[in-house]
Amino acid sequence: MMVTLRDHLGGVRADLASLILKICEICDIISDGIAYRMGRAETRNIFEEFQTTLDIWADNLFIEELARTGLVRTIFSEEQHKPVRIDDYGVFDVAIDPVDGSSNLRSNNLVASIISIYEKRMPTKGRDQIASMYILYGPVTSMVYTVGEGVHELLRTKEGFMLSRENLELPEPGELYSVGGLRKDWPTKIKAYIEKLEGEGLKLRYGGSLVGDLNQILHYGGIYAYPTLTSSPEGKLRLIFESNPVAYIVEQAGGSSSDGEKSILDIEPEGLTQRTPTYLGNKRLIRKLEKDLKDP
Ligand code: AHM
Ligand code: MG
């Protein structure tokens, strides 16, 4: 029997379920709109990166539609220079990366929307998320979410999002590794660690799209890393918009997240543009990495 998203959210508190349903409606529109908006815009985001017309359109769509729900207090968007205050009587703060990986669009590589939901006022640590999700615009548009009770995957069909896998867990022992940044910029300990993984037979899979790469780790096990780089000690990924939401999903799927020392979810954010080295994957692999980084 097909299980719809609405059915699957049956046990979730009503206001949160209704917000998640709304987010999926927005992503449904985005999924259909990508093909028409693949060009570069002349504007830049808070990270001074050029935006695509898709980034701007998707960002506006999220803000307009979320504002209508009456549920959202403030939206923090990777594409906005400041938090967007919506409604003081709202219940949730929401962080969005409307289209992550948009620099991949030119070659029709994967892109995704990443969303974090907080009841506490943001910015606060990732541990305070009450839900997080990503929508991956792949061969099939899929949605992976957690409300703190396991991780579930739904696939977009003509009849809406339908449950495909419940309680996803990172398979053991893990088959893949996926590491961003230039190898010449990886610190020596990271290089040595990756060489050990290669020695163990883990296969390289790197597409340059956080969600696309991470989603593979979720299904095959292994490790995703955007490490500290000699040229950029904090790596590339943004704590609030990218690392926290996926770290919550990975931990809920029985894996671990780390900034090299501790769980990403325990980082106290100091600003919206903060970046963090990001390591996500099977517990054993993350513990080993933390140990190797600590050893003299
Ligand atoms: P974006 O938010 O500007 O699209 O960039 C984020 C993306 C991530 O999805 C991905 O993991 C990373 O940038 C890839 O970086 P690189 O091009 O250095 O491999
Ligand atoms: Mg991004």
Side-chain angles (χ1 to χ4, degrees):
M1 204 194 58
M2 302 267 258
V3 177
T4 64
L5 177 60
R6 189 178 291 277
D7 294 338
H8 202 248
L9 291 169
V12 174
R13 55 187 264 201
D15 49 5
L16 181 57
S18 134
L19 181 59
I20 293 174
L21 283 163
K22 183 68 192 180
I23 290 167
C24 285
E25 276 172 32
I26 298 169
C27 293
D28 214 38
I29 301 173
I30 295 177
S31 192
D32 286 334
I34 296 175
Y36 307 99
R37 296 173 179 86
M38 291 173 78
R40 200 176 94 163
E42 288 312 313
T43 47
R44 295 175 194 248
N45 66 10
I46 45 174
F47 297 92
E48 287 303 314
E49 299 155 336
F50 274 109
Q51 296 170 300
T52 60
T53 49
L54 179 64
D55 290 319
I56 298 168
W57 171 72
D59 186 45
N60 288 335
L61 187 68
F62 263 110
I63 294 171
E64 274 167 30
E65 292 297 321
L66 291 180
R68 276 185 229 264
T69 62
L71 293 168
V72 178
R73 241 176 353 231
T74 305
I75 301 173
F76 295 77
S77 166
E78 197 183 80
E79 303 301 336
Q80 294 287 330
H81 290 256
K82 284 194 206 135
V84 184
R85 295 201 190 290
I86 304 287
D87 181 350
D88 273 347
Y89 295 100
V91 191
F92 305 111
D93 278 5
V94 180
I96 55 172
D97 186 348
V99 184
D100 181 63
S102 50
S103 58
N104 284 308
L105 272 177
R106 186 148 49 125
S107 59
N108 192 27
N109 197 354
L110 298 175
V111 293
S113 301
I114 311 176
I115 299 101
S116 262
I117 304 174
Y118 295 77
E119 197 165 20
K120 257 190 161 177
R121 283 190 190 270
M122 290 179 62
T124 179
K125 24 184 213 317
R127 189 73 64 201
D128 294 324
Q129 291 169 100
I130 58 164
S132 84
M133 56 204 278
Y134 57 73
I135 289 80
L136 177 60
Y137 306 106
V140 174
T141 293
S142 65
M143 192 280 250
V144 169
Y145 83 99
T146 184
V147 291
E149 288 172 1
V151 174
H152 317 293
E153 180 183 63
L154 293 95
L155 300 179
R156 179 181 183 244
T157 68
K158 274 195 205 149
E159 291 80 33
F161 283 91
M162 297 289 171
L163 183 64
S164 88
R165 292 188 59 188
E166 212 167 26
N167 295 315
L168 271 167
E169 294 215 356
L170 272 74
E172 294 292 347
E175 290 179 35
L176 307 177
Y177 75 95
S178 189
V179 189
L182 297 179
R183 193 175 270 256
K184 74 173 176 59
D185 291 337
W186 296 349
T188 318
K189 287 180 178 176
I190 298 282
K191 268 189 210 151
Y193 176 80
I194 299 298
E195 274 162 26
K196 272 189 244 166
L197 292 185
E198 288 165 343
E200 281 183 32
L202 272 78
K203 246 194 287 181
L204 167 65
R205 288 282 170 83
Y206 188 72
S209 160
L210 167 64
V211 173
D213 290 326
L214 197 254
N215 198 54
Q216 296 208 52
I217 303 300
L218 200 60
H219 287 83
Y220 297 98
I223 185 164
Y224 173 88
Y226 209 109
T228 173
L229 301 175
T230 48
S231 55
S232 157
E234 301 308 318
K236 175 176 183 192
L237 299 184
R238 294 82 173 183
L239 174 65
I240 287 178
F241 304 107
E242 295 168 337
S243 306
N244 269 337
V246 292
Y248 189 29
I249 287 175
V250 168
E251 292 198 9
Q252 280 291 318
S256 285
S257 78
S258 177
D259 65 355
E261 290 176 0
K262 59 178 181 309
S263 166
I264 288 180
L265 301 180
D266 291 324
I267 302 174
E268 283 290 349
E270 285 161 13
L272 292 185
T273 55
Q274 188 172 344
R275 297 175 194 263
T276 179
T278 299
Y279 308 98
L280 306 157
N282 292 59
K283 276 195 175 127
R284 175 187 67 90
L285 298 174
I286 300 292
R287 292 294 88 81
K288 174 83 175 83
L289 172 77
E290 286 178 337
K291 182 173 171 302
D292 285 8
L293 291 179
K294 207 158 143 197
D295 283 349

